[in-house]
Amino acid sequence: MTELEIHQRGLLNLIKSRAVAPNDPYLRHVANSRELAMLREIALWWRAFQIETRCRFTSRLLKRLDLFRALVEAYFNNNATSPFVEDLSRDFLLSLSHHPAPLVRSVSQFERAFLETRAGSPEAFEVLWDRNPDILLRALEESTALPELEPRCVYRMQIARDLPQVFACSCEVVVNIP
Amino acid sequence: MASTDTAMHVRPTPALATTYEGGDPAFLESITPLVDTIEVSPDAIAHLDGRGAHLRPDVLNEYDSVLSQVNLIAHGVGLSIGSFDHWEERYLRLLDELFARFELEWHSEHLACTVVADENLGTMIPLPRTEEALDLVCKRVRLIQERYRVPFLLEHVIQLLPEAPSQFTPAGFLNEITSRTGCGLILDAYNLECDSYNQGLDIPAFLGELDLAPARELHIAGGVQHGGFQLDIHSRRTSDSTLALALDLVARAPNLHVVTYELLKEAISVLGQDAICAELARIRKVIQQ
């Protein structure tokens, strides 16, 4: 590796908070500096701003759950984030597809499907919800109380540009077998 | 005869420019009569579709609508001219689109790195001032000069991280680039103030060493202090100190053609159109002194 490569790869690791102990004295100095903390803060602020602007429902939900900042930071640190907001938002939403909270998964899947469909994707999407998505999305929009979990229902939402209203949703009653 | 001599040495007042990133026709209409030039950032007006990144046609149409009143120049963010491996080819394709549509007086980029090993840093870092970085940048500047037959300018960026070991002074590094390639410079008065505040840059010494002849454009902006740093987030009116420094640079840089007031799109609604128009009028008045 050239000196420039060592320098830039080292700074990339530091900015992304990756646990690589730098051998280079300059990088060691940067690693402990308040300047690096500020640079990271600015980079994260911009990513959060972009995600908030484009992924409105998911951001609002994550903020209510006090997860937003931590998840944006984890995404930034662990991924090659794109300079294009379309890629950034899609990839961030995809990164939530295995989140342990079903509500986070549903809202992020819905938002990704909505953004993709609006951008002209021919793909058909399906999102499952554990509560009424219409009431939930309105609550996120209007900052009102989220609807309660409906353990006996599964809402099945289809999202596709070919559907008359783009969305279609049905409620299926879950039959508990004793 | 004396009066003729005097007339020959009077420099024209630099043109006034500002940034406009599209999507706000009312704002464009209000600023157009106040400026001579609009600075276009190809990255900021790009969108992704199924075929990759492209300039938004609606924004290009907006620029088209004011072409009879203003000139256009381009100022990129994402070229990453100093990345050790390769620059951002997607940025150049955006620039190709812009050049195919408009005549630009010149185009410019930051002397920085935004991408490392195909990973976007999410921020902009300056280059270490070494022979290796110098050779790399000069080689790429020449390629750009061959690709686009209009002047290419580089802008010094703020040094937020601690200084890396260097073989050149800040001004000496810029002098080497401009003398080896013939490229131009953007001086940024606000960036110099940030470096002075954050790193103790001696601005008079920097300017005393810098060859000011390649400077075609001067950037001014207003930012914020946060966490003990002066940040180059272009979200405010220019401070009196920035304007005073700008005025000094206008007087000293013999080939300065444009003074650009940089403002983030996100700051327009915060400052308000009226305040921005008043700011442009204030800057115009100052640079005409």
Side-chain angles (χ1 to χ4, degrees):
Chain A
M1 279 200 278
T2 65
E3 290 294 318
L4 187 62
E5 181 173 354
I6 292 167
H7 176 87
Q8 291 181 346
R9 282 187 185 276
L11 289 180
L12 170 68
N13 287 330
L14 293 176
I15 290 168
K16 295 275 189 173
S17 281
R18 291 174 187 160
V20 180
N23 291 322
D24 181 277
Y26 168 71
L27 294 173
R28 278 204 302 276
H29 172 54
V30 172
N32 300 311
S33 69
R34 68 187 190 100
E35 288 91 343
L36 176 66
M38 179 54 66
L39 197 73
R40 272 183 50 77
E41 186 181 332
I42 295 167
L44 281 169
W45 186 88
W46 275 113
R47 299 298 80 73
F49 178 78
Q50 289 176 309
I51 288 168
E52 215 176 320
T53 306
R54 193 155 163 95
C55 311
R56 206 172 55 186
F57 292 113
T58 308
S59 301
R60 287 180 181 197
L61 176 67
L62 294 178
K63 283 185 172 182
R64 284 195 186 206
L65 302 174
D66 202 19
L67 295 170
F68 183 65
R69 189 181 158 76
L71 286 172
V72 170
E73 184 168 3
Y75 173 72
F76 175 74
N77 289 344
N78 299 320
N79 293 279
T81 51
S82 170
F84 293 98
V85 69
E86 293 92 344
D87 277 345
L88 175 78
S89 48
R90 184 200 59 214
D91 294 348
F92 175 71
L93 293 171
L94 268 173
S95 77
L96 301 175
S97 56
H98 299 294
H99 192 277
L103 196 53
V104 172
R105 291 200 301 272
S106 299
V107 172
S108 59
Q109 284 170 11
F110 160 76
E111 192 137 44
R112 186 175 77 84
F114 173 67
L115 291 173
E116 297 276 330
T117 304
R118 197 175 61 175
S121 168
E123 200 179 337
F125 300 87
E126 181 176 86
V127 182
L128 301 179
W129 302 80
D130 60 10
R131 64 201 76 193
N132 188 316
D134 188 34
I135 299 172
L136 175 79
L137 295 171
R138 202 175 319 130
L140 289 172
E141 184 74 38
E142 295 170 358
S143 299
T144 55
L146 299 181
E148 294 294 320
L149 174 75
E150 297 178 48
R152 297 177 64 81
C153 273
V154 170
Y155 289 86
R156 189 178 298 275
M157 181 186 272
Q158 312 291 333
I159 303 152
R161 69 178 186 188
D162 297 335
L163 290 172
Q165 307 288 330
V166 180
F167 306 102
C169 190
S170 59
C171 176
E172 299 170 7
V173 177
V174 178
V175 180
N176 290 325
I177 300 168
Chain B
M1 191 67 190
S3 63
T4 307
D5 278 347
T6 306
M8 285 172 66
H9 290 93
V10 170
R11 282 179 51 215
T13 303
L16 179 62
T18 194
T19 44
Y20 178 69
E21 297 177 2
D24 192 347
F27 179 63
L28 179 63
E29 194 179 327
S30 66
I31 60 170
T32 300
L34 301 172
V35 298
D36 311 293
T37 300
I38 298 281
E39 187 161 271
V40 180
S41 178
D43 322 69
I45 61 166
H47 73 138
L48 286 180
D49 58 24
R51 298 168 296 123
H54 294 281
L55 301 179
R56 286 168 49 196
D58 55 321
V59 182
L60 297 180
N61 290 340
E62 286 189 66
Y63 293 131
D64 226 1
S65 72
V66 294
L67 271 187
S68 62
Q69 299 164 76
V70 294
N71 296 316
L72 297 180
I73 51 179
H75 185 51
V77 174
L79 175 62
S80 201
I81 196 167
S83 295
F84 77 87
D85 45 0
H86 57 82
W87 60 22
E88 180 58 82
E89 190 63 36
R90 283 185 299 187
Y91 172 77
L92 291 179
R93 288 202 290 272
L94 294 176
L95 201 53
D96 290 343
E97 283 185 33
L98 196 63
F99 272 105
R101 177 79 181 255
F102 299 113
E103 279 186 22
L104 305 172
E105 284 192 85
W106 63 73
H107 70 114
S108 58
E109 244 299 342
H110 297 85
L111 180 56
C113 168
T114 56
V115 180
V116 173
D118 291 322
E119 277 208 58
N120 193 272
L121 291 169
T123 185
M124 193 176 270
I125 54 171
L127 307 182
R129 298 187 301 273
T130 60
E131 284 285 359
E132 183 191 359
L134 180 64
D135 289 343
L136 180 82
V137 168
C138 289
K139 187 176 132 197
R140 289 178 178 168
V141 167
R142 290 188 198 99
L143 288 172
I144 286 176
Q145 288 168 327
E146 285 167 19
R147 183 165 174 154
Y148 307 103
R149 300 289 181 172
V150 298
F152 176 60
L153 282 55
L154 281 171
E155 176 187 352
H156 56 98
V157 298
I158 76 160
Q159 174 79 46
L160 194 56
L161 291 176
E163 284 266 344
S166 299
Q167 294 165 284
F168 299 91
T169 61
F173 194 61
L174 295 174
N175 287 344
E176 284 296 326
I177 293 171
T178 55
S179 66
R180 288 188 195 187
T181 65
C183 81
L185 278 184
I186 293 180
L187 293 175
D188 191 313
Y190 182 66
N191 284 0
L192 292 177
E193 286 190 305
C194 288
D195 280 351
S196 172
Y197 187 90
N198 300 330
Q199 301 285 346
L201 175 76
D202 183 340
I203 297 175
F206 171 83
L207 293 176
E209 185 186 354
L210 186 68
D211 178 8
L212 291 170
R216 279 176 172 260
E217 186 178 348
L218 172 63
H219 278 179
I220 53 176
V224 292
Q225 285 187 6
H226 174 67
F229 293 93
Q230 186 80 38
L231 302 179
D232 66 337
I233 293 172
H234 305 143
S235 56
R236 297 283 191 275
R237 299 170 67 226
T238 47
S239 69
D240 290 343
S241 66
T242 308
L243 276 181
L245 179 56
L247 193 57
D248 179 44
L249 291 166
V250 168
R252 292 168 64 175
N255 300 308
L256 202 64
H257 293 286
V258 169
V259 174
T260 303
Y261 172 54
E262 293 190 294
L263 188 66
L264 284 173
K265 183 180 183 178
E266 292 78 8
I268 294 172
S269 59
V270 178
L271 285 180
Q273 283 189 22
D274 291 347
I276 295 165
C277 289
E279 181 65 1
L280 289 169
R282 182 171 84 113
I283 294 166
R284 170 85 79 186
K285 197 173 169 187
V286 168
I287 63 176
Q288 280 177 339
Q289 283 176 18

